[in-house]
Amino acid sequence: MSQSIPSQFTNDITQHKLLMELIEAEDAANGEVGCGRDLGKNLSVYLNTYGINISGENLRTLLREHLGNLLMERDFDSITTQVSRFIESKAVQANILSKHPQHLQAVTETVVKHIAEDELKGFFQAELGEFCSEAILEQIIQFTHQVVYKAVLQPRHTWPKPIWVLKTGEKVYVAQASSLEDAIAKVKAQYPQETGILEVLTVKGVLAPDQVISLDRRMLLGNIATL
Amino acid sequence: MNHPIQLLRVQDQQVVDAILTEVTEKHLEDAKTLWEPLLRGSQQEDEYWNWLRKSRQSKILPGDELYAIECDRLTQGLIMLDILKKRCQIQSQLRRRLVYVSALATAPWNRSAISYPPIYKGVGGNFINFAIARSTELGYHGRIGLHALDDALGFYRKLRIGLLDCGPDPEEPDNLVYFETLRQNP
């Protein structure tokens, strides 16, 4: 006669195992688990001024109109994020500067302007004119020109394939591939003797085309995530 | 919403019951009156975080959600999720929706650097599991993203949930390392 293990018991064992795995991960960082950025002391100023920003969708429309043949939505994401963050920082800075006047740093880099100056000026004046001084508007316009220029120089779809760093046992493999599956397939094809389970140490080239790979010695010794 | 979870009480190595719940005034009050004095001067990366302000922010900005872990009638951790405004960065799932962990912290007494031995373990891991569950519930297939604080890199690298270390984010003001869960396309 066979006897089944009560499901509650197996659930308890699974739950306990899961908890122990989570704790093992926490121990790897000495209990430090924090994530997220914080505007710190500037947050209250930011909250007072958070309404001072552009509509991401309006900027996206403008970008599509002028750069739709060169860039893609993923590039527009990046441009919109960068411009919004710049405006956010300027709104906070302006609020602080109004109490402690200083000279604003001018943007001096020369860039090719892919959107006509007048059109960009009209856009930002309509969106931010009532909140921002001419000097700050000018900085936002110049910053936007810079970001668009950089995006056009290297649109996301032209970025090289990401670089995957994989580990198994004593071996570390570095493979350039569009996806993890492709990276593993390349390793297996070029090193058929490799039969171990490949674990990802890191992937670079996802957030920027020219990311430097930096490996922590502890990562090589085994403190890594399994996918 | 009261979601039952378990933590490890370090002192006697007992697994104890706790709850993960939507944040209340009491949790924010704990962060203010109990956490902040312990964090002051600790050099911890979240020394100047103000959860009350984060809570106000979550009420203003669309898609922001705040949750707490409560055990022993005390707030053991807080997390802020953004379920609306962020998209995936990894090529194979680019621009798909994800749950972004805007902020996560465990109570100071659960950190070895402040209180040795710590009181409870498992707060961070339970929060990350919850973020994945929330992502699944929203139809995002468990995809989450986050920018880890430097001291916590080891934790996110060690979690066995498919979090990929994508390196320092050049668009992030503090160049924090970005992690994203990699999921097969549905």
Side-chain angles (χ1 to χ4, degrees):
Chain A
M1 191 179 86
S2 66
Q3 192 174 351
S4 62
I5 299 167
S7 62
Q8 182 58 45
F9 179 71
T10 49
N11 283 348
D12 286 350
I13 290 175
T14 310
Q15 207 169 8
H16 185 263
K17 188 168 171 277
L18 180 66
L19 179 64
M20 290 306 134
E21 273 182 16
L22 297 177
I23 287 167
E24 193 189 336
E26 289 188 13
D27 285 346
N30 214 16
E32 300 295 336
V33 294
C35 74
R37 79 174 175 131
D38 195 273
L39 290 166
K41 293 171 197 165
N42 287 337
L43 185 64
S44 58
V45 183
Y46 167 68
L47 284 174
N48 290 335
T49 53
Y50 91 99
I52 306 173
N53 214 323
I54 47 165
S55 150
E57 210 35 58
N58 289 349
L59 179 59
R60 196 178 283 272
T61 305
L62 183 76
L63 294 170
R64 270 193 210 113
E65 195 180 309
H66 289 269
L67 302 156
N69 58 332
L70 296 171
L71 303 177
M72 300 170 81
E73 290 299 314
R74 57 191 85 164
D75 300 297
F76 301 151
D77 282 347
S78 174
I79 294 170
T80 308
T81 303
Q82 289 182 66
V83 172
S84 293
R85 280 196 182 150
F86 186 77
I87 293 168
E88 188 182 289
S89 73
K90 285 294 155 195
V92 171
Q93 195 184 357
N95 202 306
I96 293 167
L97 289 176
S98 64
K99 292 168 192 138
H100 309 283
Q102 290 170 18
H103 289 295
L104 289 168
Q105 204 176 7
V107 178
T108 51
E109 194 182 339
T110 310
V111 296
V112 175
K113 294 176 178 173
H114 290 277
I115 303 176
E117 184 81 7
D118 287 349
E119 190 149 1
L120 213 48
K121 195 166 187 171
F123 171 79
F124 283 116
Q125 248 163 359
E127 295 268 327
L128 303 167
E130 70 179 286
F131 309 108
C132 294
S133 67
E134 282 292 321
I136 289 180
L137 272 182
E138 184 56 27
Q139 286 188 43
I140 293 168
I141 292 163
Q142 293 315 318
F143 180 80
T144 307
H145 279 311
Q146 275 185 316
V147 172
V148 168
Y149 172 63
K150 282 182 188 162
V152 171
L153 278 183
Q154 206 159 22
R156 178 83 189 234
H157 70 272
T158 67
W159 288 10
K161 289 174 184 169
I163 295 171
W164 302 80
V165 183
L166 307 155
K167 183 190 172 220
T168 179
E170 296 295 306
K171 291 268 189 184
V172 173
Y173 297 95
V174 179
Q176 193 164 21
S178 54
S179 68
L180 174 60
E181 291 77 18
D182 290 350
I184 291 172
K186 273 188 177 177
V187 173
K188 298 279 182 186
Q190 292 177 37
Y191 295 88
Q193 74 277 15
E194 184 55 78
T195 53
I197 295 171
L198 291 161
E199 297 175 296
V200 183
L201 285 177
T202 188
V203 56
K204 292 290 151 63
V206 168
L207 304 172
D210 51 2
Q211 276 181 297
V212 172
I213 297 175
S214 155
L215 294 177
D216 194 309
R217 199 189 311 185
R218 281 168 301 182
M219 290 164 79
L220 296 171
L221 292 175
N223 287 341
I224 50 171
T226 305
L227 293 172
Chain B
M1 180 211 80
N2 276 346
H3 179 68
I5 58 154
Q6 293 187 321
L7 301 176
L8 181 76
R9 190 168 55 211
V10 177
Q11 190 183 25
D12 53 6
Q13 292 293 302
Q14 285 298 305
V15 175
V16 296
D17 292 329
I19 56 159
L20 195 157
T21 181
E22 280 159 12
V23 89
T24 64
E25 289 301 317
K26 194 260 184 232
H27 300 128
L28 299 172
E29 187 64 24
D30 279 358
K32 177 103 194 122
T33 58
L34 303 175
W35 291 21
E36 283 186 21
L38 291 170
L39 286 170
R40 211 165 292 141
S42 68
Q43 309 291 320
Q44 291 277 298
E45 290 165 298
D46 61 340
E47 184 180 340
Y48 296 106
W49 285 14
N50 183 328
W51 284 95
L52 198 58
R53 283 188 193 146
K54 283 184 191 296
S55 168
R56 282 189 210 133
Q57 181 186 340
S58 75
K59 286 170 188 155
I60 297 169
L61 301 176
D64 284 354
E65 298 179 347
L66 238 77
Y67 299 93
I69 285 180
E70 199 180 313
C71 186
D72 205 15
R73 278 179 281 175
L74 288 175
T75 307
Q76 303 296 340
L78 290 163
I79 189 171
M80 185 170 171
L81 303 178
D82 177 350
I83 62 164
L84 210 60
K85 300 187 288 295
K86 301 281 186 177
R87 299 289 184 116
C88 292
Q89 302 259 23
I90 295 174
Q91 189 74 26
S92 58
Q93 54 193 28
L94 199 67
R95 299 200 82 247
R96 286 178 184 270
R97 287 197 181 279
L98 54 63
V99 166
Y100 178 74
V101 185
S102 309
L104 187 163
T106 188
W109 51 80
N110 295 329
R111 308 180 201 184
S112 302
I114 295 176
S115 161
Y116 192 83
I119 307 296
Y120 292 108
K121 288 183 178 181
V123 170
N126 270 292
F127 269 142
I128 293 300
N129 271 353
F130 174 72
I132 292 171
R134 186 81 181 100
S135 168
T136 304
E137 184 181 68
L138 290 162
Y140 302 169
H141 301 278
R143 294 188 181 98
I144 66 165
L146 58 94
H147 286 89
L149 297 181
D150 285 346
D151 288 344
L153 285 173
F155 168 61
Y156 293 104
R157 284 180 180 146
K158 183 105 183 174
L159 276 177
R160 296 183 168 267
I161 54 165
L163 261 184
L164 264 188
D165 173 348
C166 301
D169 186 347
E171 288 179 16
E172 166 64 32
D174 299 322
N175 263 26
L176 296 177
V177 172
Y178 179 70
F179 286 83
E180 187 174 299
T181 46
L182 183 60
R183 294 285 185 262
Q184 298 290 336
N185 287 335

